[in-house]
Amino acid sequence: MKSIGALVFPGFETLDLFGPLEFFGWLPNEFNISTVGDTAGYVTCRSGQRVAVDHLVGESDDYDLLLVPGGPGTPVEEVNEAINDWIRAASGKADIVMSVCTGSALLARTGVLDGRKATTNKMRFNWAVQFGPKVDWIGKARWVEDGKFFTSSGVSAGMDMSLAVIARVLDRETARHVARCAEYSWTEDPASDPFAVEHEVS
């Protein structure tokens, strides 16, 4: 059983979180999911739903997998040191660290992506990369894998990335089985990124 610590904060992008978690949730004997936040109670996502916080960042930084969503509330311009400290500590212990959309800007802000390849939302690419001057940003990529770090492009790309993580942690046939059960067309090629072309990101 692998534990997943999924970060939540006010204004996170709904699908960034629940898209990947949908697929991990299809495998309840393999993954145990917890939401992690810096305040107790509930946080409100971009689309207005409230999500319960299972654990506070100060309670534990020991998870096998981390998931960091993006969205308009991503705390990068207004720095949240409690969240940043948790990301640094938890990333050091985790086997896999994932980000979706502008969640990679938050990872970059903490320094954990320094010297690594990463990608982010193509609509927000130029904004996001400023927070990681030491990151090797890849413009044309649905998702990027560098060691234990998996970073994905915008929103739905996180679902493709999460299936790639399932394929790595378990096996590819299990990932394909989950996609079939969800009636989801998995883009298995991480370099397939039409949105990079559309937004002229190289």
Side-chain angles (χ1 to χ4, degrees), residues 48-109:
Q49 290 76 44
R50 297 197 309 157
V51 177
V53 174
D54 295 321
H55 302 292
L56 296 175
V57 292
E59 292 177 340
S60 177
D61 55 20
D62 193 4
Y63 297 93
D64 297 309
L65 291 84
L66 304 184
L67 174 62
V68 178
T74 307
V76 285
E77 292 182 322
E78 294 185 11
V79 177
N80 184 315
E81 289 298 350
I83 286 178
N84 286 355
D85 289 345
W86 178 81
I87 288 173
R88 294 185 189 102
S91 294
K93 296 179 179 180
D95 297 325
I96 300 286
V97 180
M98 301 170 279
S99 70
V100 184
C101 192
T102 54
S104 58
L106 181 53
L107 290 183
R109 179 75 148 172

Side-chain angles (χ1 to χ4, degrees), residues 13 16 46 68-72 74 99-106 118-130 137-144 151-158 193 195-202:
E13 183 66 54
D16 284 6
R46 179 179 186 176
V68 178
T74 307
S99 70
V100 184
C101 192
T102 54
S104 58
L106 181 53
T119 195
T120 191
N121 186 314
K122 301 314 179 297
M123 289 183 67
R124 301 283 282 159
F125 191 85
N126 291 332
W127 172 85
V129 300
Q130 68 180 305
W137 293 101
I138 308 300
K140 190 175 185 298
R142 185 75 170 156
W143 76 89
V144 168
T151 56
S152 66
S153 187
V155 192
S156 64
D193 186 10
F195 299 102
V197 176
E198 180 177 335
H199 296 291
E200 299 181 342
V201 176
S202 60

Side-chain angles (χ1 to χ4, degrees), residues 6-14 17-18 21 34-57 67 69-70 73-75 80 83:
L7 182 67
V8 292
F9 46 81
F12 73 85
E13 183 66 54
T14 315
L17 184 79
F18 290 111
L21 293 187
S34 300
T35 55
V36 183
D38 70 327
T39 56
Y42 296 85
V43 298
T44 303
C45 64
R46 179 179 186 176
S47 54
Q49 290 76 44
R50 297 197 309 157
V51 177
V53 174
D54 295 321
H55 302 292
L56 296 175
V57 292
L67 174 62
T74 307
N80 184 315
I83 286 178

